[in-house]
Amino acid sequence: MKKQKPFELLGETIAPGKTARLTLEVAKLHTNTPIQIPVIVSHATKVGPTLLLLAGLHGDEINGIEAVRRIVKKGWHKPNHGTVICIPVFNIFGFLNLSREFPDGRDLNRMFPGTKNGSLASQFAYIFMKDIAPLTDVVIDFHTGSSQRNNYPQTRCDFNDEASKALCRVFAAPFTIDSSVIAKSIRSAVTKLGKQYILYEGGKANRIDNFAVEQAIDGTLRVMQHLGIRYFDTEMPDQKSYTIKKSKWIRASNSGVLNLRIKNGQYVDKGTILATISDPYGKFERSVKSPFNGMIFNVNEMPLVNKGDALFNIGKHDNPNATLSV
């Protein structure tokens, strides 16, 4: 078997069979205190792929952070083959402030590949793309829904990317969504480097949803086993997994009080009442109906909504018993 070489990252050398906690420093607070981002690297004694587990790109998306934390706590990030890099909290500014954005008000996930002397968020993106992304083979990026939008556990990829699509099948989240790559996103930048990429979404911001966290962990372990990084004796889940190739946002036709009538993740027939919107004085009540047969995979849980707000994301699907086929 080919002898494993030491792993070089952020100016440090990790010997085969060792785990190191490194520090990524990009900026300082107003007090001149450096902002340090912990990077945990586990390097096996045997040759294999390099997997990056990345969470907290948006600082208020806690479920992914919790998933990576539990993986590290259990020691599951320590590989038998290859290397596993864990960055539990990338946007440390947002995490400290329970905010999606950077202090400069920018969305880090719209700043890639970044620039050396650009905005603070752009500098973070630049350092990641220069020092970390090129060393990886596969990236699993953990997210949640924003604000009060709750994402049922799902993976997203461009179905034209056969390698990433195959990995999503191995991950086996309840839903796999065909999702176009967004310009200047981390997914766009990483896939342009030829890396395989899984975007996981589960739960909502500023909440820990144990179901979403467990789905994230189980899927990650399946991918690690598939890549030959470590054996976990994992099996495909008992739950059905659904492929969504076309979806539609259902928006509020009126402003008012939103009362949900369905559960996230369920199948609905065309015409099913998904929710009602009413005024607080009993003058009107409007039904929100499904425009087609499909699976609900995102629900707005805000009790008060404005006309035009996104309420549900529904994927076209006629057979609720169909299994994942991508």
Side-chain angles (χ1 to χ4, degrees), residues 43 63 127 138 148 159 181-182 194 233 241 309:
H43 190 46
N63 284 330
I127 293 295
V138 179
Q148 290 296 312
F159 282 10
V181 175
I182 299 174
D233 193 25
S241 295
D309 282 355

Side-chain angles (χ1 to χ4, degrees), residues 76 170-171 213-223 234-235:
W76 292 334
V170 173
F171 196 105
V213 171
E214 289 165 3
Q215 289 289 315
I217 294 172
D218 291 346
T220 299
L221 300 189
R222 282 190 287 270
V223 170
T234 58
E235 298 179 354

Side-chain angles (χ1 to χ4, degrees), residues 35 85 103 105 115-116 118 145 150 167 200 208 217 223 246 253 282 299:
I35 287 293
I85 304 171
T115 56
K116 184 177 181 179
N150 195 331
L167 281 183
Y200 174 81
I208 291 181
I217 294 172
V223 170
K246 293 183 179 181
S253 58
V299 173

Side-chain angles (χ1 to χ4, degrees), residues 78-97:
K78 297 180 179 180
N80 298 123
H81 294 80
T83 305
V84 177
I85 304 171
C86 297
I87 305 179
V89 185
F90 189 38
N91 179 359
I92 196 74
F93 289 102
F95 183 66
L96 291 171
N97 297 316

Side-chain angles (χ1 to χ4, degrees), residues 249-319:
W249 276 105
I250 309 302
R251 297 185 177 274
S253 58
N254 299 85
S255 299
V257 180
L258 180 69
N259 280 284
L260 302 176
R261 296 291 184 86
I262 52 88
K263 294 182 179 180
N264 204 0
Q266 80 172 70
Y267 171 82
V268 294
D269 290 312
K270 179 179 179 180
T272 298
I273 296 177
L274 308 177
T276 60
I277 299 175
S278 58
D279 73 297
Y281 309 109
K283 289 186 175 181
F284 78 87
E285 182 175 282
R286 304 284 186 269
S287 295
V288 180
K289 298 181 179 180
S290 175
F292 45 73
N293 299 342
M295 308 294 298
I296 302 293
F297 61 88
N298 180 289
V299 173
N300 188 336
E301 297 181 347
M302 283 291 291
L304 304 179
V305 296
N306 294 307
K307 183 177 180 179
D309 282 355
L311 303 181
F312 305 94
N313 207 345
I314 177 172
K316 290 187 177 181
H317 210 294
D318 287 326
N319 184 358

Side-chain angles (χ1 to χ4, degrees), residues 54-68:
L54 178 68
L57 189 70
H58 295 126
D60 60 354
E61 297 183 356
I62 310 300
N63 284 330
I65 296 170
E66 176 65 8
V68 178

Side-chain angles (χ1 to χ4, degrees), residues 30-274:
H30 301 100
T31 58
N32 204 39
T33 304
I35 287 293
Q36 299 179 335
I37 300 174
V39 179
I40 304 165
V41 185
S42 291
H43 190 46
T45 57
K46 298 177 182 178
V47 173
T50 298
L51 171 67
L52 170 63
L53 305 182
L54 178 68
L57 189 70
H58 295 126
D60 60 354
E61 297 183 356
I62 310 300
N63 284 330
I65 296 170
E66 176 65 8
V68 178
R69 184 198 70 81
R70 293 185 191 182
I71 289 172
V72 172
K73 183 176 184 295
K74 293 287 187 179
W76 292 334
H77 65 302
K78 297 180 179 180
N80 298 123
H81 294 80
T83 305
V84 177
I85 304 171
C86 297
I87 305 179
V89 185
F90 189 38
N91 179 359
I92 196 74
F93 289 102
F95 183 66
L96 291 171
N97 297 316
L98 293 177
S99 170
R100 179 181 179 88
E101 294 83 12
F102 259 61
D104 58 8
R106 299 175 189 270
D107 182 344
L108 178 58
N109 207 22
R110 296 296 182 269
M111 302 304 298
F112 286 85
T115 56
K116 184 177 181 179
N117 298 311
S119 68
L120 182 60
S122 183
Q123 292 176 50
F124 262 66
Y126 173 81
I127 293 295
F128 173 83
M129 293 303 299
K130 181 175 74 72
D131 293 339
I132 298 177
L135 302 178
T136 67
D137 296 303
V138 179
V139 178
I140 304 179
D141 182 18
F142 300 94
H143 289 261
T144 76
S146 60
S147 187
Q148 290 296 312
R149 295 178 188 172
N150 195 331
N151 277 324
Y152 204 77
Q154 60 194 256
T155 53
R156 298 180 185 178
C157 71
D158 183 346
F159 282 10
N160 292 318
D161 182 346
E162 294 294 336
S164 293
K165 185 171 67 171
L167 281 183
C168 283
R169 180 169 185 169
V170 173
F171 196 105
F175 293 104
T176 300
I177 315 295
D178 186 5
S179 174
S180 299
V181 175
I182 299 174
K184 296 186 177 182
S185 66
I186 188 173
R187 179 158 64 118
S188 173
V190 168
T191 53
K192 284 179 180 178
L193 293 180
K195 313 300 182 180
Q196 296 178 50
Y197 184 98
I198 297 175
L199 171 62
Y200 174 81
E201 295 265 0
K204 62 183 179 181
N206 289 322
R207 295 289 188 278
I208 291 181
D209 181 329
N210 281 314
F211 176 65
V213 171
E214 289 165 3
Q215 289 289 315
I217 294 172
D218 291 346
T220 299
L221 300 189
R222 282 190 287 270
V223 170
M224 290 178 69
Q225 178 167 299
H226 172 77
L227 294 173
I229 290 174
R230 179 168 170 169
Y231 181 70
F232 288 105
D233 193 25
T234 58
E235 298 179 354
M236 296 300 284
D238 294 331
Q239 68 196 13
K240 296 289 186 180
S241 295
Y242 301 99
T243 302
I244 303 298
K245 296 181 179 179
K246 293 183 179 181
S247 60
K248 178 181 176 63
W249 276 105
I250 309 302
R251 297 185 177 274
S253 58
N254 299 85
S255 299
V257 180
L258 180 69
N259 280 284
L260 302 176
R261 296 291 184 86
I262 52 88
K263 294 182 179 180
N264 204 0
Q266 80 172 70
Y267 171 82
V268 294
D269 290 312
K270 179 179 179 180
T272 298
I273 296 177
L274 308 177

